[in-house]
Amino acid sequence: MEKIRTLRGFRDIFGEELEKFKRIERVFRKYSDLLGFREVELPVLEKTELFVRSIGDTTDIVEKEMFTFTDVGGDSLTMRPEATAGMVRSYLQEGLYATERMTKVCSVGPMFRHERPQKGRYREFHQIDVEVFGVKEAIVDAELIFMIRMLLDELGIDRYRIEVNSVGCKTCRESFRKVLIDFFETRKSELCEDCLRRLERNPLRIFDCKNEQCIRVTGDSPLLFDSLCDECKDHFTLFQGYVKEFGIEVDINKRLVRGLDYYTKTVFEVTSEDLGAQKAFMAGGRYDNLVEEMGGPATAGIGFAIGVERLAMLVPASREKEDRGCFFACVGDRARDHLISILKACTTEGITLRYAYEAKSLKAQMRYADNLKCDFVLILGDDEIEKGIITLRNMSAKTQQELPLDPQKVVMEIKRQVIGNR
RNA sequence: GUGGGUGUAGCUCAAAGGUUAGAGCAUCAGGCUGUGGUCCUGGGGGCUGAGGGUUCGAGACCCUUCACCCACCCCA
């Protein structure tokens, strides 16, 4: 019979990788709390329309990467491919725009995109998401960069670049679009097939192309950054100044563009050369029109997402020594009768107690205990029972002592030695 | 969706068309009474990803298919 395995791009996450996930979340929650973010948990499944309207119906995500199906009632439903859409929906649905002057929220969970898997890219992947609604001032843009910096520092990651850019607002982007199309029309013959398609669709994304020839062309092209309107220019200048005050170095990448339609003004990406081709592991930006476009009041917004799988690849393996607890080795049926009382006492007092469920030779049990890297082994057999004692062996010190056969006293002694071990 | 690479034991990999497909690691059991790691001995474990073909003979060669990996597109 064929083994059933996970769907393509879906994985079991466990062991060392899961430990890194947990560490990342722990560090994240520390700073999201400190900076006043409120955590929310949102549905994984939403109406398809939510994503079509927010992400943009000509983006690749919406066109070919969503897990979409029709449910029994006939509605088109979609497994969320990113977090911001749901966050905006929730902000509007819960009426937060009316009850607080600004809103800082964050969320952690799985996202789904129907893409071809590769290094650092899966169909089910995890994002940590941060959003601020109702603040148009550039100081909050810088605050998010600061937050990113604190996270990276505490996680012990130092090989990365923070790239920033401005993609302007509706007005400056529209007028620039025409300039850009005119330019590329004159150089059409030099562009690759993909870029010719981009020219029709979204010419800004030609800047993303990895083809050398195209890169040469874009080198000669006018840049959106250089034709920002005064408001957008001022916003970016302020942002830069605040970032500098935080003492954070960022690289201005005037070619940086994002794949989602809703971004305005500030955009940023954190990249690492240690990740393979998918080198961006955090990214975000401002979206000052999105809330209104989704049917809410005109409300500024900004946020970013962390790709947890990608970030985990950069997190150094933790070398914290974990407490492997104690093993109970028993010889003979009479000894087994004491198992439950000892297990109860240990568990109550916070000591991990493990033992062999099936009867085995003492040698086998010792081997097992060693295998589990237990720090202590309790040995109980007929000899001990006769004398009313139990043997406690310290595995690393290779010493052992006799204790009275009393679960409470045994547990107290182990606790005392555990503290001494540290 | 497109291109390239790889599929052999739980894991990492051998076997240049010729016996019964091997090794290391892992696992389990022994090495005289009830004591772990090192060492020694032994055991279990495989439809060689699947299906077809060529051949006296296929893990190997050919075709098909599936899976995984990497890359493109795009994105975290």
Side-chain angles (χ1 to χ4, degrees), chain A residues 7 26 34 51 57 78 166 173 249 359 367 370:
Chain A
L7 299 171
R26 202 165 58 238
L34 281 169
F51 303 112
D57 52 9
T78 293
S166 175
R173 189 155 59 206
E249 259 188 56
R367 206 161 20 213
D370 186 58

CSV table of all heavy atoms in Angstrom, one decimal, chain A residues 7 26 34 51 57 78 166 173 249 359 367 370:
chain,number,residue,atom,x,y,z
A,7,LEU,N,0.7,16.9,1.4
A,7,LEU,CA,0.6,17.5,0.1
A,7,LEU,C,1.8,18.2,-0.3
A,7,LEU,O,2.6,18.6,0.6
A,7,LEU,CB,-0.6,18.5,0.2
A,7,LEU,CG,-2.0,17.9,0.5
A,7,LEU,CD1,-2.9,19.1,0.8
A,7,LEU,CD2,-2.5,17.0,-0.5
A,26,ARG,N,8.5,33.9,20.7
A,26,ARG,CA,8.7,34.4,22.0
A,26,ARG,C,9.4,35.8,22.0
A,26,ARG,O,8.9,36.8,22.6
A,26,ARG,CB,9.6,33.5,22.8
A,26,ARG,CG,9.5,33.6,24.3
A,26,ARG,CD,10.1,32.4,25.0
A,26,ARG,NE,11.5,32.2,24.7
A,26,ARG,CZ,12.0,31.1,24.1
A,26,ARG,NH1,11.2,30.1,23.8
A,26,ARG,NH2,13.3,31.0,23.9
A,34,LEU,N,6.0,45.3,24.2
A,34,LEU,CA,6.7,46.6,24.6
A,34,LEU,C,6.3,47.7,23.7
A,34,LEU,O,6.2,48.9,24.2
A,34,LEU,CB,8.2,46.4,24.5
A,34,LEU,CG,8.9,45.6,25.6
A,34,LEU,CD1,10.3,45.3,25.3
A,34,LEU,CD2,8.8,46.5,26.9
A,51,PHE,N,-9.6,39.0,-0.9
A,51,PHE,CA,-8.3,39.0,-1.4
A,51,PHE,C,-8.2,39.7,-2.8
A,51,PHE,O,-7.2,40.4,-3.1
A,51,PHE,CB,-7.7,37.6,-1.4
A,51,PHE,CG,-7.7,37.0,0.0
A,51,PHE,CD1,-8.5,35.9,0.2
A,51,PHE,CD2,-7.0,37.5,1.0
A,51,PHE,CE1,-8.6,35.3,1.5
A,51,PHE,CE2,-7.0,37.0,2.3
A,51,PHE,CZ,-7.9,35.9,2.5
A,57,ASP,N,-6.5,42.4,-8.6
A,57,ASP,CA,-6.9,41.2,-9.4
A,57,ASP,C,-5.9,40.9,-10.5
A,57,ASP,O,-6.0,39.9,-11.2
A,57,ASP,CB,-8.3,41.4,-9.9
A,57,ASP,CG,-8.5,42.7,-10.6
A,57,ASP,OD1,-7.5,43.4,-10.8
A,57,ASP,OD2,-9.6,43.0,-11.0
A,78,THR,N,-11.4,31.2,0.0
A,78,THR,CA,-9.9,31.2,-0.3
A,78,THR,C,-9.2,31.1,1.0
A,78,THR,O,-9.4,31.8,2.0
A,78,THR,CB,-9.5,32.4,-1.1
A,78,THR,OG1,-10.1,32.4,-2.4
A,78,THR,CG2,-8.0,32.5,-1.2
A,166,SER,N,10.6,54.4,-1.7
A,166,SER,CA,9.2,54.9,-1.7
A,166,SER,C,8.6,54.6,-3.1
A,166,SER,O,9.2,54.9,-4.1
A,166,SER,CB,9.2,56.4,-1.5
A,166,SER,OG,7.9,56.9,-1.6
A,173,ARG,N,2.5,58.1,-8.7
A,173,ARG,CA,2.7,56.8,-9.4
A,173,ARG,C,2.0,56.8,-10.7
A,173,ARG,O,2.6,56.3,-11.7
A,173,ARG,CB,2.2,55.7,-8.5
A,173,ARG,CG,2.7,54.3,-9.1
A,173,ARG,CD,2.8,53.3,-8.1
A,173,ARG,NE,1.5,53.0,-7.4
A,173,ARG,CZ,1.4,52.5,-6.2
A,173,ARG,NH1,2.5,52.2,-5.5
A,173,ARG,NH2,0.2,52.3,-5.7
A,249,GLU,N,21.1,51.5,10.3
A,249,GLU,CA,21.6,51.8,8.9
A,249,GLU,C,20.7,51.0,7.9
A,249,GLU,O,20.4,49.8,8.1
A,249,GLU,CB,23.0,51.2,8.7
A,249,GLU,CG,24.0,52.3,8.8
A,249,GLU,CD,25.4,51.8,8.4
A,249,GLU,OE1,25.5,51.2,7.3
A,249,GLU,OE2,26.3,52.0,9.2
A,359,ALA,N,8.6,-4.5,30.6
A,359,ALA,CA,9.7,-5.0,31.5
A,359,ALA,C,10.9,-5.3,30.7
A,359,ALA,O,10.8,-6.0,29.7
A,359,ALA,CB,9.2,-6.3,32.2
A,367,ARG,N,20.6,1.6,29.5
A,367,ARG,CA,21.0,2.0,28.1
A,367,ARG,C,19.9,3.0,27.6
A,367,ARG,O,20.3,4.1,27.0
A,367,ARG,CB,21.1,0.8,27.2
A,367,ARG,CG,22.0,1.1,26.0
A,367,ARG,CD,22.5,-0.2,25.3
A,367,ARG,NE,21.8,-1.4,25.4
A,367,ARG,CZ,22.4,-2.6,25.4
A,367,ARG,NH1,23.7,-2.7,25.3
A,367,ARG,NH2,21.7,-3.7,25.5
A,370,ASP,N,20.3,6.3,29.3
A,370,ASP,CA,21.5,7.1,28.7
A,370,ASP,C,21.1,7.7,27.4
A,370,ASP,O,21.5,8.8,27.1
A,370,ASP,CB,22.6,6.1,28.6
A,370,ASP,CG,23.9,6.8,28.1
A,370,ASP,OD1,24.4,7.7,28.9
A,370,ASP,OD2,24.4,6.5,27.1
